[in-house]
Amino acid sequence: MSDLPKGWIECESKSKPGVKYYYNTVTKASLWEKPTSNTYRASHLLVKHSQSRNPKSWRQPKITRSIDEARSIIDGYRQQIVIGQVNFEQLASTESDCSSASRGGDLGVFRSGEMQISFEEATARLSIGELSEPVYSDSGIHLILRTG
C-alpha cells in the first residue's frame, strides 16, 4: 500500500533519469517533493476591501470599498456560480482582485503552512470540487474552489 495521498503516484523523470517526481492523476499536478496528506490544490476568487493588507489589485490601483461592500459582492458572485449563471474560472478571471485571475484563480498546489491559516483551514475542510462559503483573511474575502 502506498504512503502517498489519494490520487498521487510516483514517477521517474524522463529528462532526469533516476530522479523521481510525483503526479496527481486527478488534478494533473506534479511535484518534485513527495506530497503529504497536507497538500492541497485550490482556485480562489478574492474581493479586497479598504482594510485588506494590500488594498490594491491588477483591476484597481486603490480599493476603497468597505468590508460589508466586499461581502455583498462575494455573496453575489457565489450565488451566480451556484445557480450556474457563470462558472468559477470565468468569474475569477474577470473579477478576482488577485493576480491568479490570469489563471482563472488557480493557485496551484500548496502545502500546509504556505497560505494564511483561515484560507488553509477552509481549503482543508472542502472536498475536491466543493465551493466554500465566503472566507475572511488579511487579504480580503475569498471564495475557494478545492481542486486537489
Side-chain angles (χ1 to χ4, degrees):
M1 175 136 192
S2 173
D3 62 343
L4 294 170
K6 186 176 180 180
W8 289 93
I9 59 172
E10 184 178 275
C11 303
E12 183 172 334
S13 172
K14 291 179 183 167
S15 62
K16 300 177 183 177
V19 176
K20 296 177 185 176
Y21 74 96
Y22 302 89
Y23 178 75
N24 188 303
T25 59
V26 176
T27 66
K28 311 299 184 220
S30 61
L31 297 171
W32 289 109
E33 296 176 22
K34 187 174 184 177
T36 67
S37 59
N38 294 333
T39 303
Y40 311 101
R41 184 169 186 165
S43 295
H44 79 137
L45 192 161
L46 173 65
V47 176
K48 292 185 176 185
H49 48 76
S50 62
Q51 300 302 305
S52 296
R53 69 178 176 180
N54 187 13
K56 63 181 180 178
S57 77
W58 67 275
R59 300 175 57 233
Q60 217 172 339
K62 183 178 182 184
I63 295 174
T64 59
R65 72 176 68 96
S66 69
I67 294 173
D68 289 342
E69 289 169 321
R71 175 59 191 252
S72 179
I73 292 167
I74 206 93
D75 286 342
Y77 291 160
R78 189 175 195 288
Q79 182 65 22
Q80 289 177 46
I81 294 165
V82 168
I83 66 172
Q85 185 176 349
V86 66
N87 78 37
F88 185 94
E89 185 178 342
Q90 290 170 327
L91 196 59
S93 293
T94 59
E95 304 304 321
S96 182
D97 286 322
C98 180
S99 61
S100 67
S102 65
R103 298 180 304 279
D106 184 11
L107 296 169
V109 176
F110 59 92
R111 292 181 177 80
S112 184
E114 293 181 346
M115 297 289 181
Q116 293 179 48
I117 192 71
S118 60
F119 189 95
E120 179 185 322
E121 288 176 349
T123 303
R125 285 191 300 269
L126 296 170
S127 298
I128 294 174
E130 185 178 2
L131 180 65
S132 73
E133 294 292 331
V135 175
Y136 290 77
S137 77
D138 291 343
S139 297
I141 307 174
H142 311 258
L143 290 178
I144 303 169
L145 178 63
R146 181 153 179 198
T147 56

